[in-house]
Amino acid sequence: MKNPIKKTFLFIGIACALFLTACSSNDSKEEGQQEGDQADNYSEMVEYTITGIEPGAGISVTTERAIEEYETLEGWSVELSSTAAMMSELDKAIEQEEPIIITGWNPHWMFAKYPDMKYLDDSKEIYGGEEGINTLTRLGLEEENPEAYKLINQFEWEVEDMENIMYEAQETGEEVEEVAKRWVADNEEKVAVWTEGVNDVDGVEIELVSTPWDSERASSGVVKEVMEQKGFQVTVTPVDVAIVFESLANGDADATLAAWLPATHKDFYEKHKDELIDLGPNLVGAKIGLVVPDYMDIDSIEDLQPKQ
């Protein structure tokens, strides 16, 4: 005859094992569900708001278009203020590891400071792919001022060049233009390519028109320094992006180094393309889009949720 006490203990052991397994399974399901819910709730946590920069900036205009085109952004808004304000909000969010969605772009020193930032996939290609930053001039500059035209046309550099200037300015507190002067002194070989075949002049006035972003302050700063070494008298005028294109089309300025094409400044370019000269990119590898910290478990604009 089998021992009934032994059978009882065996039954209790099996029951306990099954109970613990079920608890463990339920815990895993709840934990996984919480993680999924958190991903689903990012939209609510950021209050269906994208943190942006200045109104009228190319990326601001494109973000407003993205909100219209993506069903997952239905009911969303973009908070437009300034680049400095956006970076302040980003700093606070990352310090506290909170969700945030910003309008981001390369080149920018934010990616040197926070290398784990990531772009959300843009399946509709509202923000376009890789871009160039193009040099544009007014009509007639080549004929009226061939030396200036030649130097401006020969100017080109790398994303890393621009970001190094911006990041050094951010870290040291110096003006971007001062760091740009130092960059020119430290990069004689690159500068020599820009000035090849360009004759010295005596006080010829040139006006470069630009957006006030640090990226464009860097490019305008280095070209201003190089042109002044050749004898030009250079003025850099920071204005809204719409005015950049209008001033060239009207002949009120000579050139810009700040046209993001083909996507970011597409609307402005299409409006004025017959009234200016496009010399092509002075920098390739630029990019814009919606950016989040890497700790946010989303990868695409389509992972977001419309506002109910």
Side-chain angles (χ1 to χ4, degrees):
M1 182 177 179
K2 294 183 179 179
N3 189 334
I5 296 176
K6 189 173 181 180
K7 284 180 64 178
T8 300
F9 276 113
L10 179 62
F11 175 78
I12 292 173
I14 292 172
C16 287
L18 291 172
F19 176 76
L20 291 173
T21 300
C23 288
S24 176
S25 176
N26 287 337
D27 288 345
S28 297
K29 287 180 181 178
E30 288 176 6
E31 183 179 349
Q33 186 172 355
Q34 287 174 356
E35 290 177 358
D37 289 344
Q38 185 182 38
D40 290 342
N41 288 336
Y42 281 138
S43 302
E44 184 177 348
M45 293 167 75
V46 300
E47 299 181 344
Y48 306 96
T49 300
I50 298 162
T51 304
I53 58 170
E54 292 80 4
I59 193 171
S60 301
V61 174
T62 305
T63 299
E64 289 170 341
R65 186 186 306 137
I67 290 173
E68 294 175 359
E69 295 290 335
Y70 276 99
E71 292 182 4
T72 54
L73 294 179
E74 183 178 352
W76 282 61
S77 62
V78 54
E79 184 178 278
L80 301 174
S81 55
S82 68
T83 303
M86 183 190 76
M87 289 306 302
S88 177
E89 291 299 313
L90 177 64
D91 288 339
K92 287 189 291 186
I94 288 182
E95 182 179 349
Q96 299 173 24
E97 205 164 308
E98 294 178 344
I100 188 171
I101 302 172
I102 67 168
T103 55
W105 65 92
N106 289 100
H108 194 281
W109 57 264
M110 74 174 84
F111 290 96
K113 184 174 183 179
Y114 301 121
D116 290 335
M117 299 278 286
K118 62 183 179 181
Y119 285 92
L120 294 181
D121 290 340
D122 172 24
S123 62
K124 295 182 182 292
E125 298 186 349
I126 303 298
Y127 291 96
E130 185 175 273
E131 291 202 288
I133 304 180
N134 285 28
T135 300
L136 310 177
T137 76
R138 64 173 174 83
L139 296 176
L141 180 65
E142 182 177 15
E143 294 76 19
E144 297 168 25
N145 200 326
E147 303 303 328
Y149 182 91
K150 187 175 183 63
L151 193 156
I152 291 169
N153 190 26
Q154 292 177 166
F155 165 65
E156 60 180 7
W157 61 343
E158 306 294 331
V159 169
E160 293 76 11
D161 297 326
M162 183 182 278
E163 287 187 336
N164 286 341
I165 290 174
M166 291 189 289
Y167 190 53
E168 184 174 341
Q170 177 66 24
E171 288 294 288
T172 63
E174 295 180 87
E175 292 295 329
V176 172
E177 291 78 6
E178 290 303 311
V179 180
K181 288 182 180 180
R182 205 156 53 241
W183 186 93
V184 169
D186 293 340
N187 289 271
E188 294 180 357
E189 290 186 6
K190 288 188 177 182
V191 171
V193 176
W194 309 346
T195 58
E196 184 177 355
V198 178
N199 296 316
D200 290 348
V201 299
D202 186 12
V204 174
E205 295 183 1
I206 290 292
E207 181 175 2
L208 300 177
V209 65
S210 182
T211 54
W213 303 344
D214 284 355
S215 50
E216 277 59 53
R217 291 175 65 195
S219 55
S220 295
V222 297
V223 170
K224 179 178 188 291
E225 175 67 12
V226 172
M227 293 190 78
E228 290 184 342
Q229 290 179 4
K230 299 297 290 183
F232 292 95
Q233 184 177 331
V234 182
T235 300
V236 177
T237 305
V239 295
D240 181 83
V241 63
I243 305 302
V244 169
F245 286 83
E246 289 175 10
S247 61
L248 293 176
N250 296 335
D252 295 331
D254 294 303
T256 186
L257 312 166
W260 288 57
L261 296 170
T264 305
H265 294 159
K266 177 183 177 181
D267 293 344
F268 306 110
Y269 180 78
E270 290 296 325
K271 182 178 179 180
H272 297 291
K273 65 181 180 180
D274 295 329
E275 304 166 300
L276 48 79
I277 303 296
D278 182 1
L279 299 180
N282 59 64
L283 178 149
V284 296
K287 182 177 175 63
I288 68 169
L290 298 185
V291 173
V292 300
D294 190 55
Y295 55 74
M296 289 178 63
D297 188 25
I298 53 173
D299 298 304
S300 169
I301 295 174
E302 293 181 336
D303 290 338
L304 300 171
Q305 300 295 322
K307 186 176 182 180
Q308 303 299 325

